[in-house]
Amino acid sequence: AQKLQMANESTAVYKEYENALNATKIQLKQMGNDGSISYVDATYQNMLDSGYQIRFDGIDKIIVSEETANNFVTAGGNKNYFIALETDRVTPTNQNVGGVTEIYTAEQLMNMTAGGNYRLMSNIDLTGKTFTSLNLNGGNFDGNGYTIKGLDKALFSSVSNSTISNLNIEGDATGQGLLATKVESNTNINNVKATGSVTSTVGATGGLIGYTSGSNITLDKCSTNVDVTLNAETELVGGLIGSASGVTITNCSTNGSLNGWSVIGGIAGNTNNCTISNTTANCDITLSGSEITRYVDSGGFIGSCVNTNISNSASYGSVNNTREGATNGTHTVAGFIGATGGHCDINNCDSYTDVTAITDYIAGFIGCVNTSTNVSNSNAFGDLNTNYIISGFIHTGTSGTIDNCYSSDTEHNFNSSGLTATNTSSTPINNNITVTPPSIKQTTKIDNAGADEAAALFDEMQKNGYFIEGQDIQNPAEGHENDSNWFTNMLNFGFLQIFKRDNTTGEFYQTNVATDTNLQEVQDETNLKKAEAKYESDMRKIDAKDKKYDTDLAALESERNAINTEMDTLKTVIKDNVDRTFKLFS
């Protein structure tokens, strides 16, 4: 029985040795500072450090450091902010990058100060926020191609000596404009787009800006698609600006509806000392309310125009006034400009605006010229509908000139007295008006080292959740982070999977040792040598026991033979004694 047990022990020792012969380990390729390549035993930790993700069977959560988890919480679902924090571009308390304060969250936006330089680095949603309009004086605001939405009032209450650019804004605001209530001297606004609505009870209300004052103000490549409503018996409503003074407007456009009492224009309610070029208005204007005691002066492009030059521009849409006439003043509405004052020059402009009114003086192009106005190379194409007085181009005026202009209305006078018309065209003028739309683009990206990896990590954390290294008791790797044998065994038994980031898409895909050139599976030489030594030691012990058992068995055999001999002798003696006894008695 002991010999049989020794045979079983010998088989078990050899099986253990055979397992060691077949054992392998996973190794990870590394490159030294001199460019040399070496391999180290793969562990859970160094795989993470090399950019891999390790996921456990049945658990999609990924494992991240405590710092990464804190960045994720601080970012509050804002991907760009997480990337900036993860790549050390900014910190939770300092967003200054190269002298510009970067804005990633609504809270950071609301903490702006008047004179700083700011740059949006993410879309901002102000919906439900208690937002107070900001001031910008002597600063810069680069929208960086992003959008601020959810505005319930103007983004800025006042802007002066500043630049605003590359910005989208959306909202339904109560106030005088979506971008700003007031814009003052030395301000440049370019590549800004506004969408939504503005509702006001205060005069001078526009889709983008309430009013401007001062000089050296420019609006370039700005557009609005805003419905503007002025709910008060007052005046000045514009698709772009309610009341414009000292502004140069180029390559701008408006869309939407405009509703108010008087002095309404697709671009501005009124202009004073302005220059406008390559700009279009496409608004449906409604003069609402009951009879009023003031001049109306509304047009598809400008309501009231004073000391303003306009070129290469056009109006579309409609002007509709179904209100009774004024008791003091007149309702003068027209396709392009309601009325002009001061000296105005209008060149290469078209009006496609349809005008409908009950008791108004209306005209295809300008309703009333109060001071010298020169109009040249311009067209009036809109339909005119009223029961009162109509002129196909200009209704009435005191002084000015009309040169080489056209009106599609042939049923009424081209213009009234007071203006000199020369070269009145019988065919339309080919103005070929073009407007360069806003080019709202990203000027600055998060291009820090590791940004792509951080972006992919954010997506995974948001999608699948995460464990915190060394803290979360649900983390199956806790306590085994640097154990290569544990890592290899878990991988070989299918308890974990390896994921690698695609450098093109940024997404993670599952990989394995056979397909990943940065991994290899090799013989575990160290463990093999240990197994060989143990095998030899165990077999020597078994051999020694076996020899002892053989010696013991030989001694027992000799003893058994002696006993058998003695038994045979005893049997002979007994037989002889029996025989002698029988002979004696017989």
Side-chain angles (χ1 to χ4, degrees), residues 548-563:
K548 182 179 182 302
Y549 292 152
D550 286 343
T551 300
D552 291 343
L553 283 171
L556 290 171
E557 184 65 24
S558 297
E559 185 177 355
R560 187 177 74 85
N561 290 335
I563 291 172

Side-chain angles (χ1 to χ4, degrees), residues 30-53:
Q30 290 189 338
M31 180 173 289
N33 295 331
D34 59 353
S36 60
I37 294 176
S38 61
Y39 285 86
V40 297
D41 293 349
T43 67
Y44 173 81
Q45 188 61 56
N46 64 21
M47 289 289 287
L48 291 181
D49 294 340
S50 297
Y52 289 89
Q53 284 187 4

Side-chain angles (χ1 to χ4, degrees), residues 514-577:
T515 59
D516 192 331
T517 58
N518 288 324
L519 300 174
Q520 67 176 11
E521 187 173 15
V522 298
Q523 188 78 44
D524 192 342
E525 298 292 340
T526 300
N527 287 339
L528 180 59
K529 289 180 180 179
K530 292 179 180 178
E532 287 177 345
K534 186 176 186 300
Y535 174 73
E536 291 175 357
S537 175
D538 290 345
M539 290 305 296
R540 282 196 297 270
K541 292 177 182 178
I542 292 172
D543 286 343
K545 288 181 181 180
D546 196 42
K547 288 178 181 178
K548 182 179 182 302
Y549 292 152
D550 286 343
T551 300
D552 291 343
L553 283 171
L556 290 171
E557 184 65 24
S558 297
E559 185 177 355
R560 187 177 74 85
N561 290 335
I563 291 172
N564 286 336
T565 301
E566 185 177 357
M567 288 292 292
D568 289 342
T569 301
L570 288 173
K571 289 178 181 179
T572 301
V573 171
I574 291 171
K575 183 176 181 300
D576 289 344
N577 287 337

Side-chain angles (χ1 to χ4, degrees), residues 86-107:
E86 191 72 3
T87 58
D88 297 324
R89 181 184 181 91
V90 300
T91 71
T93 57
N94 182 11
Q95 288 83 47
N96 188 288
V97 179
V100 178
T101 300
E102 296 189 336
I103 295 174
Y104 295 87
T105 68
E107 288 69 24

